[in-house]
Amino acid sequence: MNNTDWKILIYLREERSINKVAKRLFMTQPSLTYRLSQMEKEIGCPLFIRTNKGVHFTDAGNRLYSFAEKELQQYQDMKNYVTHEPNSISGVLRIGASESFAQSYIPKILKGFLSNYNDVEISLTTDTSDHLVKLLKKEDIHLAIVRGNQDWPDTDILLEDAPLYLISAHTIDYKTLIKEPAIRYRSDPSLDEIRDKWWRHNFSDSPQSMLTVSDCFTCVEIVNQGLGYSLVPADILPKCMPHINREPVYDNHHRPLMRPSHLLYKQAMTQSTPVKIFIDYVKKYFEV
């Protein structure tokens, strides 16, 4: 097996589609299908499960995938070492980022990073912070940038602490706020806990109505239309329309409620050059 085979395995894990992988590798679909069959013959056991929802790996396929990733990165690290040119660094970098962080920061971060290391191939996964931690534990991603304080046993770097803001199209008055619909976006349990504590500190009754949406930017758009209020991190405020009222929120000791962002990864992953340089870039970006 060769480097092309390693790429096939890595891309297939990302895409779950033979057709999409064939396009990425400039191959025909029949030739890629034939190569997958040859891999199974060479290894001597089934590696792939083909379903209506795409291609999945068997247990043996997952083990081969882990090996392929290491082999390909070692080859690319060797090329980087031999050429000894900073801009020649290449490889696959699988990043996870919470949806709100991704939309606020990731475009600028990737633009700056790829302008220096344009041979690094980025795979970005956005999800809730708690689910990203699960992906990180399984090594489906190399690193994760999450919101809130997550349960993570390895390297955890605080990038920033963003204050939470109450936003509403109406004048913010705690006496009448309870009559407005509460707009919440899908997130991890740590944000739910912050929102619930803030509510209990300020109100004795439950919210009259609540609307839960999939992401923070849909939430902000609903608030922009005057359909309710929400709590969002400060970096989301630029998405609010000018007429939206906003004010910081506090705990029962009058301390600002904060929503931290953390960079999480396994220390062993820094053996990969693209992972290491991206971590260094993010730390420099946030001056930590």
Side-chain angles (χ1 to χ4, degrees):
M1 300 180 74
N2 55 39
N3 285 332
T4 299
D5 294 328
W6 306 144
K7 288 183 179 180
I8 288 173
L9 291 168
I10 290 169
Y11 293 168
L12 193 59
R13 180 69 171 270
E14 295 174 2
E15 303 288 359
R16 308 292 188 189
S17 165
I18 291 177
N19 186 43
K20 290 181 180 179
V21 173
K23 288 181 179 179
R24 286 180 69 172
L25 292 172
F26 303 100
M27 300 172 65
T28 64
Q29 189 169 337
S31 64
L32 178 56
T33 301
Y34 173 78
R35 187 57 205 148
L36 295 177
S37 298
Q38 290 301 110
M39 285 186 199
E40 291 182 316
K41 288 181 180 180
E42 186 174 339
I43 296 298
C45 64
L47 301 173
F48 313 104
I49 302 172
R50 297 163 178 82
T51 71
N52 292 333
K53 295 184 178 180
V55 179
H56 302 271
F57 286 51
T58 64
D59 289 343
N62 281 323
R63 288 191 290 270
L64 183 61
Y65 166 82
S66 298
F67 182 83
E69 188 177 41
K70 294 174 184 176
E71 284 293 303
L72 185 59
Q73 191 57 59
Q74 284 181 358
Y75 173 75
Q76 289 163 335
D77 285 346
M78 178 273 293
K79 286 178 62 178
N80 298 335
Y81 176 77
V82 171
T83 58
H84 199 61
E85 296 176 5
N87 290 340
S88 70
I89 292 173
S90 60
V92 177
L93 176 60
R94 300 194 309 277
I95 303 167
S98 74
E99 292 169 339
S100 60
F101 184 95
Q103 298 211 34
S104 293
Y105 291 110
I106 287 294
K108 289 182 179 179
I109 289 174
L110 291 186
K111 181 179 180 181
F113 179 77
L114 292 174
S115 67
N116 294 319
Y117 306 103
N118 55 17
D119 288 332
V120 175
E121 184 171 343
I122 303 290
S123 173
L124 175 63
T125 298
T126 60
D127 210 319
T128 58
S129 295
D130 53 336
H131 189 248
L132 290 173
V133 171
K134 294 178 182 178
L135 295 179
L136 194 57
K137 288 179 179 178
K138 294 191 297 182
E139 298 186 0
D140 287 342
I141 52 178
H142 291 126
L143 54 88
I145 303 177
V146 300
R147 299 279 203 186
N149 296 311
Q150 305 297 323
D151 183 17
W152 177 245
D154 212 310
T155 308
D156 180 338
I157 299 173
L158 176 65
L159 298 179
E160 70 161 7
D161 237 346
L164 284 172
Y165 277 76
L166 173 64
I167 58 172
S168 175
H170 307 293
T171 300
I172 295 176
D173 184 343
Y174 280 48
K175 294 179 181 179
T176 58
L177 192 68
I178 194 171
K179 298 179 182 179
E180 292 187 46
I183 315 299
R184 289 190 174 187
Y185 58 90
R186 186 172 63 95
S187 185
D188 63 286
S190 66
L191 181 56
D192 291 335
E193 184 179 354
I194 290 174
R195 289 185 289 210
D196 290 342
K197 283 185 176 180
W198 169 79
W199 182 267
R200 290 195 301 269
H201 172 61
N202 289 283
F203 307 97
S204 55
D205 297 328
S206 299
Q208 287 193 356
S209 62
M210 186 180 299
L211 172 63
T212 302
V213 298
S214 62
D215 63 90
C216 63
F217 288 97
T218 302
C219 172
V220 169
E221 285 304 312
I222 291 175
V223 173
N224 283 339
Q225 298 304 315
L227 300 179
Y229 68 89
S230 189
L231 296 182
V232 298
D235 55 89
I236 305 299
L237 294 180
K239 302 296 181 180
C240 295
M241 296 177 66
H243 70 279
I244 294 299
N245 296 294
R246 61 207 74 182
E247 65 176 44
V249 291
Y250 302 90
D251 64 14
N252 54 353
H253 299 291
H254 204 67
R255 295 173 301 198
L257 291 177
M258 310 298 286
R259 184 69 168 153
S261 296
H262 295 259
L263 172 62
L264 310 180
Y265 57 91
K266 293 182 179 180
Q267 190 61 38
M269 286 294 181
T270 58
Q271 295 178 16
S272 166
T273 303
V275 173
K276 184 179 185 303
I277 60 174
F278 185 79
I279 290 171
D280 291 340
Y281 183 86
V282 172
K283 289 167 64 177
K284 184 177 180 180
Y285 185 92
F286 284 98
E287 299 181 348
V288 297

